[in-house]
Amino acid sequence: MNLHERLTEALGRDAVKTQPEDLAVYAFDAYSQAAPPNAVVLPSSTQDVAAAVKISNACGEPVVPRGAGTGLCGGAVPAKGGVVISFARMNRLLALDVRNKRAHVQPGLINLELSEQIRSSGLFYAPDPSSQKVSTIGGNCATNAGGPHCLSYGTTVNHILGLEIVDERGEIFTTSLDDIGYDLTGTLVGSEGTLGIICAIDVRLMKLPESVRVWLAAFGDVEAASETVSAIIGAGIVPTALEIMDDVIVGAVEAAYGAGYPTDAGAVLLIEQAGFADDMDERESAIREIAHEHGAISWRAAKTQAECDLLWAGRKGAAGATGRYAPNYYIQDVCVPRSKLPTALHSVTQSARRHGLKVGNVFHAGDGNLHPLLMYDKRDRQQVAAVIGAGNEILQTCVDLGGTISGEHGIGYEKRDTLSLVFSTDDLATMAKMRDVFDPRRVLNPEKIFPAGVGCAEVKPPDAAYVISNR
Amino acid sequence: MLSQTAKADAAANRIVPKTVAKLQEAVREAHQQGEPLVIEGGNTLSGMGKAPTRAARTLCTSALRKIHAYSFADLTISVGAGITLRGLRSALAEHGQFIPLDAPCAQRATVGGTLAAGWLGPRRHLYGRPRDYVIGTQIVLADGTLAHAGGMVVKNVTGYDMSKLYIGSFGTLGILTSVNFKTLPAPQSARVFIAKLPENSRLRAINAIAQLNVPPAAALWVYGFRKAIDGEDGNDGRIFILHEGSAALIERASRDVRTALGRAGVPETQIIDTGALGAFDRILDACSATIGQRSITYRFSGNLDDAETRLRATYVATHQSGLAAESLLDLMNGDLYARISGKDAHAFCERIEALDDALHVQIPKAVVVACESPIRQVLNVWGSTPAALDRMRAVKATFDPAGTLNPGRFIGDI
Ligand SMILES: Cc1cc2nc3c(=O)[nH]c(=O)nc-3n(C[C@H](O)[C@H](O)[C@H](O)COP(=O)(O)OP(=O)(O)OC[C@H]3O[C@@H](n4cnc5c(N)ncnc54)[C@H](O)[C@@H]3O)c2cc1C
């Protein structure tokens, strides 16, 4: 029997896709480059996943786990073909333990749906990537996704208590923070499907806050807004979220959603503080004062829940709203020490200008996590080249400022050859040891994270950094 | 008392490198000669795990205690792994910041040792685990290679998060030489509440605390530890609560605590404002304090739901063995610490093995956190085997194939 027949026999006809038009859908994620798989399976259980991996092994095919395919760095693209394992059907909340504030979920469960399903219990799941309406908790785990509220709640890894994994041979094992021994849970989170396939997840839940306030401050330019962010943090205040959008983004968002952002400002800063009612006035006046000291031209406090939701809807839909400027955008993801934000933003503007590109900035400012959106038309080769050039400059600038090349989207296929901008050969070889333990044959999501060559006999950094445009 | 020659031997077998390069050199040499090393920080948690096998020499990180960089406006700091928790704490306090590391013996415990031991403290339900604050590490591997992970930014998914693997690995995969943290603004104020519990008020008090709207930073039920921990036991022990936050929040929390405890039948609550964190430190210290050769301290982790079962099992087994127990129950995280002691070393040694067996039948995950060396070698110090032990062994075999670093100290003789 061939690959298709064996998969069909094990998982059922309904769970296996082999037609070219079906496979084409799974060739992409939210990154520009694509490669079709040889087959796609839609397992219903961990046992299905294990069976699919065993069959893939026997047929010499690599496997690529896939959540919602919203990844921005080609992580779910089957770069070497093989079998895509889609978690679309393993999307349930399996158990909720209100007293101990934890839940057991399948990896295909959509991020926002978890919080919605448990709302009546007074709990929520904190990590909230802007893609949370579509991205999966499995994908979030695999990328250690961040989000606006990670400023105070921490990224995905802080909320993962244990995993059920199918390994490269199709064997099942579990990890738990409650167990003694090495923290395999923490190491597997963020490994982008290269160390194991996540088939079930224990997540930590948090109590819904008693009081939430959302404020919007407007500034003359994005540098002033980012200086305010640095000053708020520098003053020892860590709100729940600190998000900046520049005028380019504000224009797009207003046209798309009418979120109520002032379109005459150079940038807006969205601030959220969750906590106890007793602290709120004090917090508000401290933050407001810093904003005014740093040139805020207006300050608005959301008065109703609907107003809060609208302000947030604008932020979370920002990237999509830029479609009015150009057919495509490339979203860069870099992180710098927070006090370096103004310098980093200035360089981003310069780079974009040098390359003749329109750039918009919408980002997790409180974490120093920048997301310049470079707008372009992918049919125009010159523009594509400009995006690559500017993207690379931005990476280098952030590394020079003491930052790093990915704050939350991951390395995937896109950035694997730039990893050596921040890590030495020894650092990379050390990471490759984990790969040697968990996937010595490189059958799990091959061609991802590691520069070509790392972990094989020779370990050498690539000659030059390059980035390929996405979207 | 050690004889003069024994002291000289011990000194000769102790390496305390002043630089990372020297430490690498020492490790490389040991590795080449096939000579295992004991890895030591402040030696405060040396009562955990088995004494490493075959290791004649000790490598100590205590001289690597520099603050490499403190960008207080960024809320990040980079320190040598040998800095003590107290040293780190006072550097941070100068800028009104802190990191919730919550481990015993802050004046001696090193940052590297605390992280390597994966120590978890009472405030983690509120602030998160120590690992959540580590944004970068530098480590010397078994062959002397120096490797970095993470960086100096607070959000980072560039490559695998190797720091997670090192934290809690008990020095069996590498030697942490430097650690980067994100820090937090220190809470404006702290207040401790201590209440003596009259007969039959314990369960009601514990339930009342679980219902508090403003969660305390730490809340423990204490039984015993006279002098070591503030306050006095009533018939049902005592309650220790730490609240942290703004003055306004603490005022509200104070009213809530007193009302809740009052309803639970607890007549009086003592308040400590000045020295609140000192009182909390004494709680942390008690978690690993031993009484020479006649005591052992266990940690029984679990959910709050079954805390009562674990507590009862501990007292029943201890009484049956003729030993005495003192305990600390973390009401926010569910950890139970029990210090079990005998009248003298002889009585203790005679009974501890049977008690250890009996305890593990009832509480398979029981872990020994403090016990002097010859005694604990025969005990089940790590409790039940984790599901992924074979993977852990594979990790050890890949990182340290010759077994140079702390061989045999960790679970499954890793
Ligand atoms: C508009 C938009 C906004 C975004 N905002 C954010 C943001 O704020 N923060 C952020 O961090 N990211 C953001 N992203 C990126 C993306 O949404 C995240 O990376 C997300 O975590 C991916 O989830 P997914 O389910 O789509 O995974 P996919 O894209 O399907 O997969 C991502 C990676 O995880 C692996 N993977 C998926 N499932 C599993 C599994 N079960 N086991 C093992 N490996 C698996 C894949 O192989 C791949 O390498 C955004 C993307 C878009 C398009």
Side-chain angles (χ1 to χ4, degrees), chain A residues 234-253:
Chain A
I237 302 173
V238 182
T240 319
L242 279 172
E243 299 282 311
I244 289 180
M245 284 160 275
D246 69 8
D247 53 347
V248 173
I249 299 295
V250 167
V253 167

Side-chain angles (χ1 to χ4, degrees), chain A residues 29-30 64-72 75-76 87 107 129-131 135-136 138-140 142-143 145-148 192-193 196-198 319 329 364 408-409 445:
Chain A
D29 59 6
V64 180
R66 179 184 177 95
T70 67
L72 290 161
F87 284 96
S130 305
S131 58
S135 66
T136 64
N140 296 166
T143 55
E192 303 189 36
I197 303 170
I198 301 167
Y329 66 81
H364 312 304
E408 58 175 21
H409 294 166
N445 210 1

Side-chain angles (χ1 to χ4, degrees), chain A residues 99 182 194 210 278-279 339, chain B residues 74 160 172 246 252 305 391:
Chain A
R99 216 176 119 89
Y182 299 146
T194 63
E210 174 186 285
D278 316 64
D279 285 342
S339 57
Chain B
D74 287 329
Y160 295 156
T172 59
S246 66
R252 168 174 165 194
D305 299 2
R391 320 271 157 172

